[in-house]
Amino acid sequence: MIDTRRLRTLRAVADHGTVTAAAAALHLTPSAVSQQLAALEHEVGHRLLTRDGRGVHLTAVGKIMLDHANQVLAQLERAEAEVAAYTTGEAGEVTVACFATAISAVLSPAIAALRETSPGVRVRVQDAEGDHSLAMLLDGQADLAITVEYRGAPDAADPRLSRRPLYAEPFDLVLPGDHPLAGSATLVSLAAETWIGPYPGNPVHDVITFACQQAGFTPGLVHCSDDFRAVVALVGAGAGVALVPRLALRDMALPGVAVRQTPGPERRVFAAVRRGSDAHPLLRPLLAALREVAESLGTGSPEARRGAARDQAV
């Protein structure tokens, strides 16, 4: 009989690439993770991992086991959801990993709505950039992640996740108010400017870099901050220009800057839960509240609705 805890360990190692990183995510020691993997290999009767320098890779049998592990763990999530629904499950805590702009734009209003519609659902919020929140979800540190499409992100067919698109958000050009192009700037007209933006690794950095490359240049990113208020403050000080997600500018003081809409770049925001858990009675009302708030934003909602229809079919 294969122990499902060892299947979770196998998936964590596959996700993180090293025993040490998987152990940290699972709150175990590396020795404990190695022992669980050795026990799983004994149960299966085949080697599941091979070492490559400091990392590990799945063998052919390991990949087969990982595929079944994803299916088994998703089925367990569904079982927990059905049991919770049977016993009403109207009260409990949900942990959400979410980036700052979405906390303000959709998560906080959804929490406020839940206080009226589902007062027994308590939401615990963890501020996490898009590329970290999915890892927290898959490692069991969060029950729901609100994140963005980014290079290397799991796609809608990923067997570990169920996704619900929320909104598609355009980016705006932000320039010093006295910039010669403040009234007529386009992306390509700012190719030679000093740029301000998030650090490499932040999904928004990839969106900005790709948009500029599509326009024929690589942005000269001199000043870096993951805080969009800091980015706008630097623009206002004349330190450079920036592309900023539109909702990040909402309700922000904009002294000394000019904001210009520009076609092209956008970030697609979605909610994700572990596959099989989307019917959980604690998650269901939160997902519904998030969708309702997102649709009220009026920012890319038609595309989000089309994406939702695609994901529902997965």
Side-chain angles (χ1 to χ4, degrees):
M1 181 71 68
I2 295 175
D3 190 326
T4 56
R5 292 173 299 178
R6 293 165 186 159
L7 294 179
R8 294 186 190 277
T9 301
L10 177 67
R11 185 161 80 176
V13 171
D15 285 343
H16 293 278
T18 69
V19 169
T20 301
L26 296 172
H27 304 290
L28 298 172
T29 65
S31 176
V33 168
S34 295
Q35 290 173 12
Q36 289 204 26
L37 292 172
L40 181 59
E41 287 183 330
H42 179 73
E43 290 171 341
V44 174
H46 292 274
R47 288 182 61 82
L48 303 177
L49 300 166
T50 58
R51 293 194 174 275
D52 181 10
R54 295 183 179 179
V56 292
H57 294 284
L58 295 179
T59 64
V61 175
K63 292 177 181 178
I64 293 172
M65 286 303 303
L66 178 63
D67 181 57
H68 285 286
N70 287 331
Q71 296 179 49
V72 168
L73 295 175
Q75 186 61 40
L76 286 175
E77 294 281 356
R78 283 189 285 270
E80 291 178 6
E82 289 185 18
V83 170
Y86 180 77
T87 57
T88 71
E90 295 177 354
E93 183 176 86
V94 176
T95 298
V96 180
C98 180
F99 61 97
T101 302
I103 290 175
S104 299
V106 292
L107 182 55
S108 294
I111 291 172
L114 285 178
R115 294 178 65 182
E116 299 295 327
T117 61
S118 301
V121 178
R122 303 184 306 277
V123 180
R124 179 171 173 260
V125 180
Q126 300 285 297
D127 188 338
E129 289 299 332
D131 52 338
H132 294 150
S133 59
L134 286 178
M136 293 174 65
L137 175 66
L138 291 170
D139 290 338
Q141 299 173 42
D143 304 301
L144 184 149
I146 299 176
T147 185
V148 299
E149 296 284 2
Y150 60 91
R151 184 167 46 197
D155 62 25
D158 191 291
R160 302 168 297 172
L161 300 171
S162 290
R163 304 184 356 160
R164 297 293 181 270
L166 295 177
Y167 60 90
E169 176 183 14
F171 282 63
D172 291 332
L173 286 168
V174 184
L175 302 85
D178 59 359
H179 193 285
L181 297 176
S184 60
T186 62
L187 193 58
V188 70
S189 71
L190 300 174
E193 297 286 335
T194 296
W195 283 79
I196 308 164
Y199 284 98
N202 186 314
V204 173
H205 179 277
D206 287 347
V207 174
I208 293 172
T209 300
F210 181 73
C212 291
Q213 289 173 345
Q214 289 291 98
F217 68 97
T218 298
L221 194 64
V222 174
H223 309 291
C224 292
S225 174
D226 289 333
D227 183 335
F228 291 119
R229 291 185 183 276
V231 170
V232 171
L234 286 169
V235 173
V241 301
L243 271 171
V244 178
R246 185 167 297 169
L247 288 177
L249 296 172
R250 189 179 68 171
D251 302 327
M252 187 189 296
L254 300 171
V257 304
V259 178
R260 295 281 300 173
Q261 295 185 10
T262 184
E266 64 180 11
R267 63 175 175 180
R268 297 178 178 86
V269 180
F270 62 93
V273 297
R274 291 183 294 276
R275 190 171 290 270
S277 69
D278 41 349
H280 194 288
L282 294 177
L283 291 173
R284 192 169 55 243
L286 177 55
L287 286 167
L290 288 169
R291 173 58 54 77
E292 185 173 349
V293 172
E295 289 179 348
S296 74
L297 293 175
T299 304
S301 55
E303 178 170 342
R305 284 194 290 270
R306 288 196 296 272
R310 289 195 300 271
D311 276 7
Q312 290 283 4
V314 174

